[in-house]
Amino acid sequence: MADAHKLEIFRGLLKFKSNTQKIWGILIFLTIVTAVEVALGITKPKALTGTTFLGMKILNWIFIILTLVKAYYIAWDFMHLRDEKSALRRAIVWTPIFLVAYLIFILLFEADYIYNVFKDGFVTWNF
Amino acid sequence: MDSTITTAAEENTWGGGNRPLGASYGKLMMWFFLVSDALTFSGFLAAYGFSRFKFIETWPIADEVFTHVPFFHGNYPMYYVAFMTFILIMSSVTMVLAVDAGHRMKKNSVIWYMFLTIIGGAIFVGSQAWEWATFINGDYGAVETKGGRILQFVKADTGERAALNDFAKTIPGDRVAHENKNGIWFYDEGYRPSYTVNEVIEGFKTNSNIVVRTETINAEGEKMVLSRQESLSKLQSAVQVVEGANLIHNEYGSRLFADFFFFITGFHGFHVFSGVLINLIIFFNVALGTYEKRGHYEMVEKVGLYWHFVDLVWVFVFTFFYLV
């Protein structure tokens, strides 16, 4: 297993000759994604901050998606999940995803409810 | 029936020594730990999201909080954090190169890559400390109202932030320090801001170019700036001057922001710090030839997993604290 690295990323679009080469390739990719994030964060294009989707700015959705993309490549290529058996991979990935998605869902809904109570529930807090 | 026949293969199934996941015990345990640690961090970040959504209209804007770069003056939002992120990703790369060199049993390469990883980690922890110090010392200063809200000051003509010492008046006055010998119950004086509320208000009255900026975010995603008249009436509810941030007061806005900043980046920084220590131990083991004798460098792979995890967490902290 240790020597059998899978050297394809982007579903086989990009094939590397060696594991070392793949590592540098991933670094370049992660750097580009981070640079895009920082550039968007500094310029904050009006087109992306003005429109919302599911109550959140499009720009923030882009940030979150890019973060998940980065997390995927760190886990898959740096932590070698790509080379592990799929059972191990699924156990590691889907357990937190399920729990965290549930946690985020209940907490953000509750927070939004409290926000509304503060806003129109005759509660003075901003004074 | 098939089940009554004991084959050699079946004996092997229940006899132990199987590796259905194809990973060693140590690696599996590291993954167990990482998954549980991921859940811990997710809990913190979800709690941050909870507080933020609760105060969605008044939450501080990260771009306006983290604007400093060491050795440079001026307003550089995010550049330094981006640099820190890059350092951490870079040290992740040298770590994975060390693991790769370990697979090929190249001891000297492993030593070098481990060394570079430790340096990267140290730079990151140092940057984190600097970031904390800057955050704690504060920028412009602000006043806190009776309700615990923060009022900041901007210049009316340019819209730039105004520091307290740009306009606050110094009113000479006698201050009787409470001394140990005079009190039955003595409290140390503790921290005192550079100006009193009265000095700030008097300075505000004489300086017509200063207006108050509230915590409220308007439709354009900017903090709401009041008119002169509104500012003055708002200032009547000011009870204290706040400079910098701690767990109780925060000149940048909501105090929860500072609390979560200290807690989450602190917890992450602690992970990086212990990661550096563990890397150091492994580094010395590699240098002493422990793994060369053992015949494999799996230990490097295991600490590598931990190190990448620290990087992985930072990617999320970076997004949710600095970008979103």
Side-chain angles (χ1 to χ4, degrees):
Chain A
M1 183 230 92
D3 301 314
H5 291 292
K6 291 184 181 137
L7 299 175
E8 296 176 353
I9 63 168
F10 306 135
R11 297 200 166 272
L13 199 68
L14 208 56
K15 283 178 196 159
F16 294 104
K17 287 191 191 68
S18 69
N19 193 37
T20 325
Q21 206 185 37
K22 184 178 86 168
I23 294 165
W24 290 110
I26 299 294
L27 170 69
I28 292 168
F29 177 69
L30 291 180
T31 309
I32 292 171
V33 173
T34 308
V36 169
E37 281 182 337
V38 172
L40 283 176
I42 290 170
T43 55
K44 289 191 180 170
K46 279 278 174 287
L48 298 177
T49 54
T51 38
T52 59
F53 175 70
L54 287 179
M56 201 159 65
K57 288 173 190 161
I58 297 285
L59 184 65
N60 288 354
W61 280 113
I62 292 176
F63 284 147
I64 291 170
I65 290 165
L66 288 181
T67 303
L68 292 174
V69 168
K70 281 203 301 192
Y72 173 86
Y73 283 99
I74 290 173
W76 251 243
D77 292 306
F78 286 175
M79 299 170 103
H80 302 297
L81 274 186
R82 202 187 288 279
D83 304 329
E84 302 290 356
K85 285 198 172 177
S86 60
L88 177 60
R89 204 159 56 205
R90 286 171 192 158
I92 289 167
V93 172
W94 291 109
T95 311
I97 285 186
F98 166 72
L99 291 170
V100 171
Y102 178 55
L103 183 71
I104 289 172
F105 167 75
I106 49 175
L107 279 190
L108 295 193
F109 256 80
E110 179 68 9
D112 193 50
Y113 168 74
I114 297 176
Y115 164 74
N116 282 311
V117 168
F118 279 173
K119 200 175 167 194
D120 357 274
F122 307 106
V123 179
T124 312
W125 64 277
N126 195 350
F127 54 91
Chain B
M1 285 208 295
D2 285 347
S3 58
T4 55
I5 303 161
T6 310
T7 61
E10 220 170 323
E11 210 161 32
N12 193 30
T13 306
W14 302 106
N18 280 314
R19 285 176 163 195
L21 296 175
S24 71
Y25 174 82
K27 240 169 98 173
L28 273 184
M29 288 306 117
M30 181 52 92
W31 272 114
F32 262 113
F33 167 68
L34 294 185
V35 169
S36 67
D37 214 21
L39 291 174
T40 310
F41 269 109
S42 308
F44 293 159
L45 284 174
Y48 172 81
F50 174 80
S51 298
R52 184 168 173 169
F53 270 61
K54 194 167 145 186
F55 296 112
I56 193 83
E57 277 177 350
T58 50
W59 203 250
I61 299 169
D63 284 13
E64 297 171 357
V65 178
F66 306 102
T67 57
H68 296 283
V69 173
F71 311 116
F72 290 94
H73 289 286
N75 189 17
Y76 303 107
M78 295 220 296
Y79 290 104
Y80 195 54
V81 206
F83 164 78
M84 282 163 65
T85 308
F86 181 73
I87 286 288
L88 206 56
I89 290 177
M90 198 61 215
S91 82
S92 235
V93 167
T94 53
M95 186 78 233
V96 75
L97 286 171
V99 174
D100 185 62
H103 281 163
R104 289 185 278 116
M105 299 300 285
K106 289 185 176 168
K107 184 181 156 188
N108 284 330
S109 312
V110 181
I111 293 176
W112 265 110
Y113 286 133
M114 285 298 292
F115 177 71
L116 291 175
T117 308
I118 291 165
I119 297 294
I123 294 176
F124 183 87
V125 177
S127 304
Q128 189 83 274
W130 183 86
E131 185 102 331
W132 270 47
T134 316
F135 186 74
I136 291 168
N137 281 331
D139 249 348
Y140 298 100
V143 294
E144 196 175 302
T145 65
K146 227 183 305 177
R149 300 293 105 198
I150 287 294
L151 303 176
Q152 299 169 331
F153 299 94
V154 292
K155 293 173 183 146
D157 51 354
T158 56
E160 281 171 22
R161 289 289 304 279
L164 288 184
N165 60 4
D166 288 347
F167 67 92
K169 219 176 190 174
T170 314
I171 303 171
D174 286 334
R175 200 176 63 82
V176 182
H178 186 39
E179 287 171 10
N180 198 355
K181 61 178 184 198
N182 298 331
I184 298 169
W185 192 262
F186 179 73
Y187 282 106
D188 211 357
E189 192 169 63
Y191 161 80
R192 285 181 67 246
S194 337
Y195 298 98
T196 64
V197 175
N198 203 21
E199 284 173 331
V200 171
I201 292 177
E202 287 310 312
F204 179 85
K205 279 178 185 159
T206 51
N207 209 326
S208 61
N209 193 27
I210 304 291
V211 283
V212 160
R213 199 173 84 140
T214 61
E215 283 183 34
T216 312
I217 297 171
N218 62 18
E220 281 83 53
E222 284 158 6
K223 296 279 176 183
M224 206 150 71
V225 176
L226 302 178
S227 71
R228 262 309 269 185
Q229 207 58 42
E230 291 167 331
S231 300
L232 206 54
S233 66
K234 197 85 181 165
L235 273 180
Q236 299 309 315
S237 60
V239 289
Q240 68 166 314
V241 173
V242 180
E243 285 170 319
N246 52 45
L247 290 173
I248 309 163
H249 304 290
N250 172 16
E251 70 153 67
Y252 304 101
S254 178
R255 52 187 80 177
L256 277 173
F257 180 83
D259 298 345
F260 277 110
F261 174 77
F262 289 129
F263 198 64
I264 296 178
T265 65
F267 197 62
H268 177 265
F270 179 65
H271 273 76
V272 181
F273 176 71
S274 35
V276 169
L277 287 189
I278 298 167
N279 276 346
L280 260 179
I281 295 168
I282 301 301
F283 168 78
F284 284 119
N285 274 343
V286 174
L288 291 171
T290 311
Y291 307 124
E292 198 71 28
K293 269 179 242 148
R294 193 176 290 177
H296 60 81
Y297 280 83
E298 201 192 72
M299 214 56 205
V300 177
E301 198 173 332
K302 280 181 264 187
V303 294
L305 284 179
Y306 179 71
W307 191 252
H308 298 310
F309 173 74
V310 167
D311 181 26
L312 188 69
V313 168
W314 180 255
V315 166
F316 283 92
V317 173
F318 175 61
T319 300
F320 291 113
F321 253 97
Y322 297 91
L323 291 176
V324 169

